[in-house]
Amino acid sequence: MENNDTDCQENIDKSRALYIFYSSVVVLEFILGLLLNISVIHLFVIKLKFWKSKTIDIFLFNLVLADILLLIGLPVKAYNFQQCSENKVVCKVQLFLQFLNRGASIAFLTVISIYRYFSVVHPGKRKLLWILKRSPQISIFIWVLLGILTIPAMLQSFIRCNSNENDEEASLVVLLREIVFFTQILIPFFVLVYCSIRIIKRLNQKSVGDKTKLRRAMFLVTTVVLVFAICFLPYTFTRVVQLKNGFVMKEEKVAVVKLYDGFICLSYLNCLLDPILYCLSSSKFKKLYISMYLPFLLKKEQAEISDDTADD
């Protein structure tokens, strides 16, 4: 154990500047993401009263809630980026929350895409839409299911709290953990891609309606897929390489660990972008948000309109 700690400290010292940068990025994501998500969820509760709102609002609320709960654990992650020793209990709780809330964020993102897919592509399938409209029950089911599937993260540390510990021996718990990890990212990604392609095709077929709104809808659908791919796929593929660490040289292992940790930082960016893509993309929600938190922008816009009217 002492030798492992020594190796760990050597690796940290060699990459001190890099991991301070990683830690700084995580802290910045934590501050910006928490402020934005809390303001959005406050709007859901105070103005929209989401529990009385449309189906999509309940899913959006749960998406933002999952992102907030994920962000809360980021200070611990930032600390672990700079330290070799850690409290194992705190580490496992942080990993459990990380996996639970990231999984919930991805799950609600996927459900929202499926709901929009049936609403746009198959509006006549009322039975399926009726099932999807049971959003409170679906939301509870998602949280309970993910809580059960995330238990392996508490039994054994996933990957490591700091990335320099030795790999674990294969076991049934580790295998289950890896299956959950990959399926909760790859399957939703393919679902998102399929739903997005079908929605875009359907929107392109529409000959009536506001063309600006149609283009905006297609841009949003495409952006969601791109953000998901950028945030989650790099660190997923790097995890595949990590699982093959036994077949590469020690120097290559260290390089892969550094790359993986960098992609972990990138994945947290999703928590910052979700409120923008899913909430502020709605003109109604955007107006409410600006009027509540950024009223000066609304006054500026009204002043510009008044000036234009005066010039005419």
Side-chain angles (χ1 to χ4, degrees):
M1 183 67 183
E2 291 179 0
N3 187 46
N4 289 342
D5 289 340
T6 302
D7 292 341
C8 171
Q9 189 61 53
E10 288 177 359
N11 289 330
I12 287 288
D13 290 340
K14 291 177 182 177
S15 309
R16 175 63 62 186
L18 178 64
Y19 277 89
I20 288 176
F21 171 73
Y22 285 167
S23 180
S24 302
V25 170
V26 170
V27 170
L28 182 62
E29 289 173 329
F30 166 74
I31 295 171
L32 295 178
L34 198 61
L35 288 174
L36 182 56
N37 280 277
I38 287 178
S39 65
V40 168
I41 213 164
H42 177 254
L43 194 57
F44 267 117
V45 175
I46 300 300
K47 289 286 186 181
L48 294 177
K49 293 182 173 54
F50 71 95
W51 58 91
K52 298 179 181 178
S53 301
K54 298 180 296 184
T55 297
I56 197 74
D57 287 341
I58 294 177
F59 288 139
L60 285 170
F61 172 83
N62 280 277
L63 173 65
V64 177
L65 179 62
D67 286 339
I68 288 177
L69 295 175
L70 176 59
L71 286 165
I72 288 173
L74 291 195
V76 177
K77 188 67 178 178
Y79 176 80
N80 285 337
F81 268 143
Q82 300 186 46
Q83 302 296 325
C84 274
S85 59
E86 66 219 359
N87 184 302
K88 294 297 181 182
V89 175
V90 174
C91 168
K92 290 187 177 184
V93 170
Q94 188 263 334
L95 286 171
F96 177 82
L97 293 175
Q98 174 181 314
F99 276 86
L100 172 64
N101 296 307
R102 174 175 285 141
S105 178
I106 293 173
F108 286 111
L109 185 152
T110 307
V111 171
I112 291 168
S113 295
I114 293 172
Y115 178 81
R116 285 178 171 168
Y117 163 75
F118 280 106
S119 298
V120 175
V121 181
H122 300 294
K125 294 188 176 181
R126 296 182 179 178
K127 288 185 178 180
L128 288 171
L129 284 171
W130 178 81
I131 293 173
L132 288 171
K133 284 181 179 179
R134 300 179 71 84
S135 48
Q137 293 89 334
I138 293 175
S139 300
I140 293 171
F141 174 77
I142 288 173
W143 283 108
V144 172
L145 177 63
L146 287 172
I148 295 171
L149 292 176
T150 311
I151 289 175
M154 289 288 285
L155 300 178
Q156 286 182 282
S157 299
F158 177 84
I159 301 168
R160 292 160 302 276
C161 288
N162 67 65
S163 300
N164 296 284
E165 292 179 16
N166 288 334
D167 294 329
E168 302 162 324
E169 296 181 359
S171 70
L172 182 60
V173 173
V174 172
L175 178 62
L176 177 60
R177 186 193 60 203
E178 300 296 339
I179 291 173
V180 171
F181 172 75
F182 286 108
T183 54
Q184 76 173 11
I185 293 176
L186 296 180
I187 292 178
F189 175 70
F190 290 121
V191 171
L192 277 175
V193 171
Y194 175 78
C195 291
S196 300
I197 291 173
R198 294 297 304 275
I199 289 173
I200 290 173
K201 284 184 177 179
R202 178 59 180 159
L203 292 175
N204 278 325
Q205 292 171 357
K206 287 189 174 183
S207 56
V208 294
D210 189 335
K211 295 295 182 182
T212 303
K213 287 184 178 180
L214 291 176
R215 284 196 295 269
R216 189 185 303 157
M218 288 189 285
F219 175 76
L220 174 63
V221 168
T222 305
T223 304
V224 168
V225 176
L226 288 176
V227 168
F228 188 97
I230 292 171
C231 290
F232 296 120
L233 294 188
Y235 97 99
T236 303
F237 292 143
T238 310
R239 178 58 184 162
V240 174
V241 177
Q242 276 197 321
L243 292 175
K244 298 180 179 179
N245 265 351
F247 301 99
V248 296
M249 300 297 290
K250 182 178 179 180
E251 292 77 10
E252 291 174 314
K253 288 183 182 181
V254 173
V256 171
V257 165
K258 292 177 184 177
L259 191 62
Y260 179 86
D261 287 337
F263 286 144
I264 282 285
C265 295
L266 182 64
S267 72
Y268 293 131
L269 188 63
N270 185 68
C271 295
L272 185 60
L273 296 177
D274 276 346
I276 298 172
L277 288 175
Y278 284 92
C279 300
L280 302 185
S281 60
S282 164
S283 56
K284 175 188 173 183
F285 194 97
K286 183 166 63 176
K287 287 178 181 177
L288 282 173
Y289 189 92
I290 291 175
S291 65
M292 192 165 187
Y293 302 111
L294 305 168
F296 62 90
L297 293 179
L298 203 58
K299 292 178 181 178
K300 183 179 179 182
E301 185 179 342
Q302 290 172 348
E304 289 176 353
I305 293 173
S306 301
D307 291 340
D308 291 341
T309 304
D311 291 339
D312 292 340

